[in-house]
Amino acid sequence: MVEEGGWQRAGGENTEIPEPDFDDPEGFVDDISNDELLPDMMAKAPREADGIENVVIIDGIPKTEKVAKLKEKLDGIWAKMAGVPIYQEFPTEMAPQKKSGEMMEHTKGYCFLEFEDEETALRAMENLHKYAFDKKHVFCANLFTDFEKFEATPETWVEPTRKQHEDMGNLMQHMEEPDAFDQFIVTFADGKQTESYLNRRPEIELLHSRKSWTNRGVDFSPTGKFVATYHDQGIALWVYTPQFAASQSKARGIWSRSHRFKHDQVDNMQFSPDERYIVTGNGARGDAHSTVIIYDVWSSQEKRKFTVQTGETGHMEWPHLKWSADSRYFARQTEDTISVYELPACGLLDKRSVKCPGVRGFSWSPKDNYIAYWVPEQGEAPARVTIISVPRRHEIRVKNFTMSTTSKWRGRTRARTSPCAWIDPSRARGAATCPHSRSST
C-alpha cells in the first residue's frame, strides 16, 4: 500500500483499482428481511397501493373486436352513472374472429377507469357495480386497492357452519299484554346502566336492569319486536323473552340477543318500516370515510354499502336513507340528485337517479310510493315543491312558492291521495317532509 496525501491507494502504485465484488458467496442464505434490517427506511417506502386509490376496475364488459364502438357506448354509461374518468384503459389481446378466423384485437372483458379523486372513484364503484350492460353482461366494479382482499381469498371453498336454530318463542308476546301497558327503557349514569320498565298503573314495574348493555342508548323497532344496542364492533338486536328470565347468560334473559351486525364505531341505526332491514352508519374517523350499511335482518347478510362525504363537520345527516311506507324502496340524496333503490336487490331503480338541481330535502308519502322534494329560491327563480311517483317517476304536481324555506307533505288516507304543501317561512332551512295522513269522510 502507498499513501498519497493521507489516502491509501489499492493495488500498488502503477496498477488500476479492481472493481469490488458485491455478489453473495455460493450457498449464502439471507435470513434477515429488509424490514428487520432497515425498519426506519422501509416504514417510509411507498406502498404498492399509493396513487391508485382513484382507480376502479370494471369487470364483465363484452369481449369484442369492435373496440372503438364499445368505448363509445361505454363513455355514455360512464358519463351518466359515474362521471367522466380522466383516463381509461381497455386491455386487449389477439384472438381469431368468429366468422373469418382472422386474428384481430379483442377486449379482454375488463377495463380500468381513473377518476379525479378517491371519493369520485368510490361513487363510481357504487353506481356501476351490478349495472346490467345488456342481457349477457353485468358489471362487477371494484377499487384497484381491493386486490389484496382478493389475493387473500382461499383457493378451496369451505362450506360455512350452519347455525343451530334456537326457538325464541313468540317474538310478539309483548303485544299481548292484557292491559296494553307499554314498555320503555332508560339509560343513565353516562350510559353505563340500562333499565327496562313496564308502564303499569299506578306504579311502573322494573323488568330488567343491566350494566354496560349499550354504548349510547337503545332503539326500538317500529313494532317493538326488537331492541337495538350500540357497541364498538356494531349493532346487536334483542327480543323480549320473559321465559328466559332466570338465565345467567349475558345473551339470554328478559331480553335475549337474536342478531349481531358488524360496523366498527357505529353511531346511528335505523329500521325499515317492516323491520326486514336495518341501516347502520358511522361518522368519519381521521382519514376514514363515513359509511352506511344495509343489512337483511332475516339472513344477517350485508346488502349494500355506501361511502358518504361528511364535509367539514365530519358528521353526516341522519337518517341518511329514507324508506317508502311499504319498504319496497329506499332513497338517498346527493348533490342535485335523489337516488331510489329497489329491494331486495338494493339496485338503483332503472339504473339512473332522479335529477333535481338544487334539491335541499325530500320525503316519502306515509301511504303511497310518492316522493316530495323541495328546491329553495335561487336568484329570481321561486322555491319549488315537486311530487313524483315511484317507480314510474311521473310528476304528480309541481308548485312554485316565494319566501319559503321548508315544506311538508300531507295526503288523505281514504279514496284517492290528494297531496298538499305546507310552507313554513320562519325556518332558515328545511326539507320536504311527509307527516301522517288525515282521514277524509
Side-chain angles (χ1 to χ4, degrees), residues 413-432:
T413 55
R414 297 177 58 185
R416 57 183 298 183
T417 301
S418 301
C420 60
W422 172 75
I423 305 301
D424 180 6
S426 62
R427 294 178 58 183
R429 58 177 299 185

Side-chain angles (χ1 to χ4, degrees), residues 53 82 95 100:
E53 292 86 354
S100 64

Side-chain angles (χ1 to χ4, degrees), residues 10-26:
E13 188 173 358
N14 298 316
T15 58
E16 295 183 357
I17 300 175
E19 184 178 351
D21 182 11
F22 293 103
D23 292 338
D24 294 326
E26 187 177 353

Side-chain angles (χ1 to χ4, degrees), residues 329 349-350 352 369 388-396:
Y329 307 97
L349 183 64
D350 295 336
R352 58 190 175 95
N369 287 331
I388 60 173
S389 65
V390 176
R392 295 181 178 273
R393 304 167 185 257
H394 291 168
E395 288 191 353
I396 306 299

Side-chain angles (χ1 to χ4, degrees), residues 19 22 67 70 86 114 141 155 163 174 195 219 238 265 276 288 290 331 367 375 393 410 419 431:
E19 184 178 351
F22 293 103
V67 181
L70 175 64
I86 61 176
E114 181 180 353
E155 295 183 1
K163 184 179 178 181
H174 62 284
E195 294 179 349
D219 285 321
W238 305 74
Q265 303 297 325
R276 168 72 186 273
S290 297
K367 179 178 181 293
V375 178
R393 304 167 185 257
R410 296 185 182 273

Side-chain angles (χ1 to χ4, degrees), residues 154-174:
E155 295 183 1
T156 55
W157 180 76
V158 179
E159 184 178 359
T161 337
R162 183 180 294 273
K163 184 179 178 181
Q164 191 68 25
H165 172 70
E166 183 175 359
D167 186 9
M168 293 285 191
N170 179 13
L171 301 184
M172 302 299 290
Q173 57 187 302
H174 62 284

Side-chain angles (χ1 to χ4, degrees), residues 61-216:
I61 67 173
K63 296 181 179 180
T64 176
E65 72 274 10
K66 300 178 181 178
V67 181
K69 186 175 181 180
L70 175 64
K71 288 183 179 180
E72 182 181 354
K73 190 169 184 179
L74 289 175
D75 283 342
I77 296 176
W78 308 153
K80 182 177 71 173
M81 299 295 298
V84 180
I86 61 176
Y87 176 76
Q88 50 185 322
E89 181 179 342
F90 293 79
T92 58
E93 61 182 352
M94 299 301 293
Q97 192 181 26
K98 290 183 179 179
K99 294 183 179 179
S100 64
E102 180 185 356
M103 295 299 291
M104 297 187 67
E105 190 179 38
H106 286 66
T107 54
K108 286 188 174 183
Y110 61 92
C111 66
F112 300 90
L113 304 180
E114 181 180 353
F115 292 90
E116 187 174 356
D117 50 43
E118 184 181 1
E119 293 175 352
T120 308
L122 287 167
R123 289 197 300 271
M125 181 196 68
E126 292 168 356
N127 292 336
L128 293 173
H129 187 57
K130 295 185 179 181
Y131 179 87
F133 180 78
D134 53 31
K135 292 182 179 180
K136 296 182 179 180
H137 300 88
V138 178
F139 294 162
C140 178
N142 291 282
L143 291 177
F144 196 90
T145 48
D146 286 339
F147 70 92
E148 290 183 353
K149 176 181 69 177
F150 299 122
E151 282 184 342
T153 304
E155 295 183 1
T156 55
W157 180 76
V158 179
E159 184 178 359
T161 337
R162 183 180 294 273
K163 184 179 178 181
Q164 191 68 25
H165 172 70
E166 183 175 359
D167 186 9
M168 293 285 191
N170 179 13
L171 301 184
M172 302 299 290
Q173 57 187 302
H174 62 284
M175 303 290 285
E176 300 174 354
E177 215 285 324
D179 297 314
F181 291 134
D182 291 329
Q183 295 185 30
F184 64 93
I185 294 179
V186 179
T187 302
F188 55 97
D190 294 331
K192 297 179 181 178
Q193 187 70 32
T194 305
E195 294 179 349
S196 63
Y197 292 88
L198 185 64
N199 193 24
R200 288 190 180 277
R201 293 291 184 268
E203 294 293 334
I204 61 175
E205 177 184 344
L206 175 65
L207 294 178
H208 178 61
S209 179
R210 183 166 177 173
K211 291 183 179 180
S212 303
W213 192 23
T214 179
N215 287 354
R216 54 173 303 274

